[in-house]
Every structure is written in C-alpha cells, then in structure tokens.
Amino acid sequence: MQTLTIIQPDDFHLHVRDGDALQSVVPYTAKQMGRALIMPNLKPPITTVAQALAYKRQIQAAIPAGCAFEPLMCLYLTDKTTPEMVREAKAAGIVAFKLYPAGATTNSDSGVTNLFNLLPVLEEMAKQGILFLTHGEVTDADVDIFDREAVFIDKIMKPILNQLPNLKVVFEHITTAEAAKLVCESGDNVAATVTPQHLMYNRNHLLVGGVRPHFYCLPIIKRESHRQALIRAVMGEKSHKFFLGTDSAPHPKHAKENACGCAGMFSAMTAIELYAQIFEQAGALDKLEAFASQNGARFYGLPENTRKMTLIKQAQKIPESVQFGESEVVPMCAGEEINWSIQSVA
C-alpha cells in the first residue's frame, strides 16, 4: 500500500473558538500539526498581549498528552492599535497582527474601518519583523460579494505594498486568480495561505440543487476558473510563496443550518489528508511537503518541525458530525470517503 512520509506540517490559519468548544477541536489539530497560527476573532477579540497569552494557555491546556504542538498567537488589528502595541507584541513573542475589515466575516465588527489610517502601525510592524495577515476583502455595500477580493487588491493591497515594500504580508485564504497573480508577481515579502475548500470546491457546490450551508464560508467559494488558478499557483513555478492554512472554522450544526447560517468550514479533523487528496488528484503529491511543512515555516522565520508524519493510501469515512462543546459540528466532507489516512507522527 502506498505511503508518503513528510516533515510534520503546520497550519498557519486556524480557528479553535473558546470554552468547551475549544476543548473539543484543539486535539484534532494537535494530533496532526506541529504548530498552528490561532486566529484572534473571538468575542471580545484578542487585541492585547495579555489576552493572547491567556488564550494560548487555554489552548495548551487542551493539547492531548504526547502531542508536540505549539500554538502561535496573533493579535486582532483595530482602529485603536498603536505602534507601541506592536513593539509590546514583538517582545512577547506574538508573531503577527490580523486585519479583519469591519463586517467582512465572523466576529469582525471590531475590525478596521480605514487601513490607511494605520500606516504608522504597519510601518512599525515592518520595522519589528511582525507579519501582517490580511483578510483581503472590501465590505462596500455596492461591491458584489464574489468581487470583494479582487476589489480589495486594487483599492487596498496594491497601494499598501507600494508604500511599505518591507512589510511581510500574508494574503490569507486566497480565493481568486487575481490574488494568486498578485502573490506570484510581488516580492519575497508577500505570501499566501490556501484552504482545502478553495482548492476542492467551486460555487456550484454551494448553490446547485439548493443552498448547502456547510459549504458556506468567507471569503465565499468562487467559480471553477478561480479554483483552477489556485491549483496552478500552489503547484507552479512560484509555489514556494503558498502554504497550508486551513481556515478551519467550526460552528455548531444548528448555527449553520439556520435561516441566517454562519460562515465557516471545519476541516481540522482531516486537514492533511484532504490536502494529500488534492495534491494527488493534481498529479503533484511530491509538492505536498513543501506546501504543508516548509514554505510557511520559512516565511515566518521558524525552523522546520523535527517530527515526521507518514500518510497511507487508505480510505477513511468522515463522520456526519462530531462533538463540539455541548453541540455538534459537521466536518468538511461529512459522510464521504477520502483516500488518505495518517499512519504515524513520530
């Protein structure tokens, strides 16, 4: 039976919520990943070093015995963030600040209203070597939801990159050909994370035959031509600029299957197996290790993980749902068989 051994991967974009829900989902990631970058959009958001360190301790308490897993912390960028807060974050080991344009996604009400007002903060981030992570969408009411990322590139991303050429930027969970092109054509200070859902699905999966709420995420899944562009980018000539970031974002089943269902797909349960299937189907399984285990570590200035993971070509069936605090969450590919399983991490 076919096996594949790679350096233990990292997840550079992960949501684990808090409380009992956190206790339910952290073990899935801890058993797979060496590290994960934890998103700060809780209620209230993680905006200070003290909050981030307390949140890190909560996550560490949920790590199963025997797992060599490290949560990496970032802070939520707001209109009130200052250069002094950037310096404090650097001293405390915070690795990044995350931009949520106000109203762009789950728990983004405290997000930035005008990024250009924060240029002194971004300049200090460049000086300190702290990364700038961006949810790259505009939220203007007159912009079609499928065009938000492309408009963000022209109105915000390109001007920021022109003004701050030394700022290290991760364009998070990219979804479009325009975003892939921007990353490929930018300098070595610009990289991107790519989710399994945006590599596997197009908007037909969300909309054909009725609205399927468990395929609803933000940024929203785009047309097939964009999915194909992402596949080419993560496996192409500039593939070193792209790395694993699941954007795994669990929500209770009842909150997804709702008249106003929330955005997010829960992939942490079988994240690396999903990526293995994607890369195999594209005929690029040999590129999985760089994408999952090397490119992100290099961009963040981190050493590669010392453990190895062995995957085996053995089908596994994803459960219809799993426990999520006092509720349940529907995982990505629920009820389906996927082609790969983890054999060992050691």
Side-chain angles (χ1 to χ4, degrees):
M1 188 170 286
Q2 183 181 357
T3 62
L4 175 68
T5 298
I6 62 173
I7 297 165
Q8 186 179 18
D10 297 311
D11 186 347
F12 281 99
H13 190 119
L14 179 70
H15 300 267
V16 295
R17 311 310 183 198
D18 56 7
D20 291 341
L22 178 149
Q23 299 286 331
S24 298
V25 297
V26 164
Y28 292 117
T29 296
K31 291 175 182 178
Q32 287 203 358
M33 304 293 173
R35 294 168 292 224
L37 184 59
I38 309 300
M39 292 296 108
N41 58 329
L42 301 183
K43 282 190 174 181
I46 305 298
T47 60
T48 70
V49 166
Q51 290 171 332
L53 296 181
Y55 190 29
K56 183 175 183 176
R57 290 191 292 272
Q58 185 182 356
I59 295 165
Q60 289 171 323
I63 299 172
C67 294
F69 171 70
E70 180 186 4
L72 304 173
M73 309 309 292
C74 67
L75 296 183
Y76 189 117
L77 190 69
T78 76
D79 289 341
K80 296 180 180 179
T81 304
T82 65
E84 175 56 34
M85 293 169 71
V86 173
R87 291 188 289 272
E88 181 186 359
K90 176 66 174 180
I94 305 299
V95 300
F97 279 78
K98 175 68 185 291
L99 168 68
Y100 291 98
T105 189
T106 303
N107 298 346
S108 62
D109 295 344
S110 301
V112 171
T113 56
N114 186 335
L115 184 60
F116 296 98
N117 291 339
L118 293 176
L119 282 175
V121 174
L122 299 183
E123 289 169 353
E124 189 63 29
M125 288 167 59
K127 181 179 177 182
Q128 296 295 331
I130 283 192
L131 277 68
F132 175 52
L133 317 180
T134 176
H135 180 117
E137 293 188 289
V138 298
T139 56
D140 309 55
D142 60 342
V143 176
D144 188 287
I145 191 170
F146 289 99
D147 297 329
R148 285 180 169 187
E149 188 170 276
V151 173
F152 177 89
I153 290 169
D154 288 333
K155 290 180 64 175
I156 299 174
M157 183 69 99
K158 286 182 178 178
I160 290 293
L161 292 176
N162 287 337
Q163 292 184 62
L164 298 167
N166 295 321
L167 181 65
K168 291 193 76 172
V169 179
V170 181
F171 201 158
E172 298 287 355
H173 44 50
I174 64 169
T175 67
T176 60
E178 291 89 347
K181 182 174 185 287
L182 174 79
V183 174
C184 287
E185 293 180 350
S186 296
D188 289 340
N189 62 309
V190 180
T193 55
V194 192
T195 74
Q197 61 263 30
H198 292 109
L199 291 171
M200 289 179 68
Y201 302 131
N202 62 47
R203 62 191 188 182
N204 283 359
H205 293 91
L206 170 65
L207 298 171
V208 171
V211 177
R212 301 170 71 186
H214 294 288
F215 285 79
Y216 176 51
C217 58
L218 290 172
I220 199 165
I221 295 168
K222 306 299 194 297
R223 64 173 68 242
E224 176 64 10
S225 60
H226 291 296
R227 188 188 75 84
Q228 292 290 343
L230 297 184
I231 291 285
R232 290 192 298 270
V234 301
M235 301 172 194
E237 182 181 353
K238 295 295 184 72
S239 61
H240 65 282
K241 300 181 64 119
F242 301 89
F243 47 88
L244 190 157
T246 61
D247 193 20
S248 180
H251 292 280
K253 180 180 178 181
H254 65 81
K256 294 285 289 179
E257 300 174 1
N258 190 282
C260 187
C262 48
M265 297 180 71
F266 176 55
S267 60
M269 209 174 132
T270 53
I272 193 61
E273 300 101 304
L274 292 172
Y275 282 111
Q277 181 164 298
I278 292 162
F279 276 71
E280 182 186 36
Q281 289 173 348
L285 198 55
D286 61 316
K287 295 182 181 292
L288 176 64
E289 182 177 53
F291 175 82
S293 314
Q294 296 175 307
N295 297 346
R298 184 185 310 115
F299 194 77
Y300 273 81
L302 299 170
E304 294 176 0
N305 293 314
T306 56
R307 289 189 170 193
K308 298 284 187 177
M309 170 182 283
T310 298
L311 297 159
I312 186 168
K313 186 74 176 293
Q314 179 175 296
Q316 62 168 307
K317 186 171 182 180
I318 310 300
E320 296 287 351
S321 65
V322 294
Q323 183 179 355
F324 184 55
E326 297 181 354
S327 182
E328 57 182 337
V329 59
V330 175
M332 190 170 164
C333 297
E336 300 177 24
E337 276 197 354
I338 60 174
N339 298 334
W340 289 85
S341 300
I342 296 175
Q343 185 179 67
S344 64
V345 179

